[in-house]
Amino acid sequence: MVALNKGYHFITCEEYANKKANSVLPKRTLVNRVDIDFSCQKAKRLAEIFNRLRVKGSFFVRLHAPEYNPFSFENYNALKYLRDTGHEIGYHSEVIDEAAIWDEEAVECLKRDIEVLNAMLGIQIKGVASHGGMTGLNNLDFWKNNKASDFGLVYEAYEKSSTFNLFDESFYISDSEWTRWKCYNRGILVEGDRRSLEEHVQDRHALIYLLIHSDTYFDRHFYE
């Protein structure tokens, strides 16, 4: 709410790519990204809040998480809710992990996962965000030698390109350390800055890239 009151326009990752291509970014822009690491139900809860505030977000879904099955009755309903209320759905990719665990080619894993997610929800995803898990492997490594456009995608969430390049052109704020915030200014870590989004918007950055995880938030307690 504070960001809205400061004049920030909330947009999805896909909208950012489109607006960047046409050089029509609002004066103060916040790209609103949510990674669904452990809970689709909490993602739905966030979407309900976004809907009340009339803002949209990009939600990235895992397909092989031991923590949740996107095809379960409740989770599929949650993902349909995200889709039907106008939020972007993308793929939270683990293709390096898949390739190592299954002894398959990462390229083929990604192609199959995109097809599955598209067929599952009747959509055409535009973006991928690489997941950082517990395997010790870095799923971002896949993109050192591959481009999103090679797979019919518009972007990978951290790609360095003339068509996206969001991480390196924005003030990036993330809750990915779970109990504290971190931030990067145009791709460079701001050491010791643990301020929240509410505090950062006071600085009036022209472009904020916000990453939150649905699992971090709760109404009463973490395990609900």
Side-chain angles (χ1 to χ4, degrees):
M1 197 67 184
V2 173
L4 289 171
N5 290 338
K6 289 292 182 181
Y8 279 92
H9 295 261
F10 283 62
I11 63 174
T12 66
C13 293
E14 180 187 358
E15 288 175 321
Y16 170 77
N18 292 337
K19 289 180 183 296
K20 179 180 173 63
N22 295 296
S23 301
V24 290
L25 281 176
K27 181 179 179 181
R28 291 198 180 93
T29 299
L30 189 150
V31 182
N32 189 23
R33 171 181 158 195
V34 181
D35 286 356
I36 310 175
D37 279 8
F38 303 127
S39 174
C40 292
Q41 297 306 306
K42 286 191 175 185
K44 181 183 178 184
R45 183 76 178 88
L46 279 182
E48 290 169 345
I49 295 170
F50 292 167
N51 292 339
R52 287 202 303 273
L53 295 173
R54 298 182 180 180
V55 302
K56 301 303 179 188
S58 297
F59 290 80
F60 292 89
V61 183
R62 296 170 72 189
L63 290 180
H64 310 290
E67 293 84 5
Y68 70 85
N69 173 12
F71 290 91
S72 75
F73 294 118
E74 288 188 347
N75 288 340
Y76 180 58
N77 263 338
L79 296 177
K80 286 205 304 178
Y81 177 82
L82 301 181
R83 178 197 66 190
D84 294 345
T85 54
H87 300 282
E88 180 188 7
I89 294 177
Y91 175 44
H92 206 20
S93 169
E94 299 174 88
V95 293
I96 296 294
D97 294 323
E98 292 170 49
I101 293 166
W102 296 336
D103 193 24
E104 296 182 358
E105 292 295 327
V107 165
E108 297 308 313
C109 289
L110 180 59
K111 289 178 179 178
R112 180 176 59 217
D113 288 345
I114 292 171
E115 289 177 2
V116 167
L117 187 55
N118 284 341
M120 175 186 179
L121 291 167
I123 59 177
Q124 292 290 319
I125 67 166
K126 303 300 183 183
V128 165
S130 297
H131 175 65
M134 302 299 290
T135 64
L137 300 172
N138 187 350
N139 289 296
L140 269 173
D141 287 347
F142 177 83
W143 300 101
K144 290 178 179 179
N145 300 306
N146 294 282
K147 297 185 296 183
S149 58
D150 294 337
F151 301 91
L153 301 170
V154 174
Y155 67 88
E156 197 285 328
Y158 293 108
E159 77 174 44
K160 300 175 184 292
S161 69
S162 60
T163 56
F164 199 69
N165 209 40
L166 177 56
F167 182 69
D168 283 347
E169 294 183 4
S170 67
F171 193 86
Y172 173 89
I173 308 168
S174 171
D175 67 357
S176 58
E177 292 189 0
W178 286 77
T179 59
R180 61 186 186 181
W181 295 87
K182 66 178 179 180
C183 60
Y184 290 73
N185 189 8
R186 294 182 177 273
I188 300 172
L189 177 66
V190 183
E191 296 283 356
D193 192 338
R194 303 298 181 181
R195 288 180 296 162
S196 67
L197 172 65
E198 182 177 355
E199 295 169 300
H200 279 298
V201 296
Q202 310 301 329
D203 295 336
R204 293 181 166 82
H205 300 285
L207 176 61
I208 290 177
Y209 186 8
L210 176 66
L211 167 61
I212 61 175
H213 296 75
S214 57
D215 327 286
T216 307
Y217 303 92
F218 53 88
D219 291 312
R220 294 172 300 159
H221 59 81
F222 182 82
Y223 292 112
E224 64 184 358

